Amino acid sequence: MSSALLDELIEGLRCLPGVGPKSAQRMALHLLQRDRVGAKHLGSLLVQAMDTVQHCGQCRIFTESPLCRWCSDPTRNAGHVCVVESPADVLAIDKAADYRGRFFLLLGHLSPLDGVGPKDLGMDLLEQQLANGSIEELTLAINPTLEGQVTARYIIDLANKYTVPVLQIARGVPLGSELEFADSTTLSVAFAERSRLN
Amino acid sequence: MSSALLDELIEGLRCLPGVGPKSAQRMALHLLQRDRVGAKHLGSLLVQAMDTVQHCGQCRIFTESPLCRWCSDPTRNAGHVCVVESPADVLAIDKAADYRGRFFLLLGHLSPLDGVGPKDLGMDLLEQQLANGSIEELTLAINPTLEGQVTARYIIDLANKYTVPVLQIARGVPLGSELEFADSTTLSVAFAERSRLN
């Protein structure tokens, strides 16, 4: 490029996921031409957020305080813990369900091939809370994938060690969907877990 | 989200072109989880670049110095000026062609509907250089689109006012392409501008 700093900026933008050399160049030129104010604001937000946003000490949700807003909410039942894989899952559940307990965020799933072990998912923190009796009931809201099931199995074993009950959110055909488009695994689970209506 | 600063960061990332709410969320969480060092570096680069990268006073190319490296290169012929639409075009020509003049960067094309007039493209700066005799020859390397042609027409009129010769880079079938896949406009231009070989 025409300027050393511009080259550095283009290279720096590539730390964003899904941004290659061409998009990085397009982004840098766009910001310089059209949105210098927004870009400077983004720059200071990045520095500030990376310095101050940490994990909640109890549930690993991203927060600036020692405890996140769910863990520090006295109206929530701290003994009920819902285990999820990603921050987006926390928001989805919080928006949709009448859940009044707290969360535990794994930030991923067990994946030995990618070098993700129990410690990376905070399993030691979870075990600590299971051991000291602060968890009365675990609800697993882990993605119904193969890796998710392996991760769930690991948590069930942990909970069994301390005889804490584990629940799983219901699996079946999604509401508003049409049966002919449901995949066969979902349909077979939905049949196996059918419930009586009368 | 779980933290006010994280919300702000997600909102801030949306100033990047092509980044909607979902990608902004994915980017913010990715940086917090996996690349805090890179993100902080990007943050300070953004602030620094927006403050110090300006336009070359002669040709509008992005640079930190008063003149860009092409305009300040004494081995280049300052009387030959190649007009381009985007910084990427400058780099492409610099890499491919044996061009030894300098550039003039429009940073766009005339587009009255989007509110882009001659002044936004630096036409006053170009006219000033045409008027004071510092340009001996203009070469247009403007995109062969409708807007590009309108912009070229405007520049030709300017140059005529000061009787400066204007050249245009050759248009025709691209090398290495197959004729059957060339569009009809390109083919008809290539026929109209055919040259004698013997």
Side-chain angles (χ1 to χ4, degrees), chain A residues 80-127:
Chain A
H80 288 193
V81 175
C82 174
V83 182
V84 294
E85 286 185 38
S86 85
D89 300 337
V90 173
L91 300 179
I93 292 171
D94 204 48
K95 220 186 272 178
D98 289 329
Y99 177 67
R100 296 296 304 161
R102 59 181 182 91
F103 291 92
F104 189 88
L105 181 59
L106 299 172
L107 285 170
H109 44 239
L110 286 178
S111 177
L113 287 178
D114 301 320
V116 181
K119 221 163 168 175
D120 302 300
L121 304 181
M123 292 297 188
D124 42 351
L125 184 62
L126 184 64
E127 178 161 12

Side-chain angles (χ1 to χ4, degrees), chain A residues 41-116:
Chain A
H41 181 61
L42 171 60
S44 56
L45 278 175
L46 275 169
V47 173
Q48 208 188 335
M50 297 305 137
D51 277 338
T52 57
V53 176
Q54 301 298 336
H55 297 282
C56 168
Q58 192 171 28
C59 74
R60 298 176 22 110
I61 283 175
F62 287 118
T63 175
E64 293 121 273
S65 328
L67 286 184
C68 73
R69 65 179 170 91
W70 289 277
C71 285
S72 55
D73 181 348
T75 69
R76 285 183 169 261
N77 185 342
H80 288 193
V81 175
C82 174
V83 182
V84 294
E85 286 185 38
S86 85
D89 300 337
V90 173
L91 300 179
I93 292 171
D94 204 48
K95 220 186 272 178
D98 289 329
Y99 177 67
R100 296 296 304 161
R102 59 181 182 91
F103 291 92
F104 189 88
L105 181 59
L106 299 172
L107 285 170
H109 44 239
L110 286 178
S111 177
L113 287 178
D114 301 320
V116 181

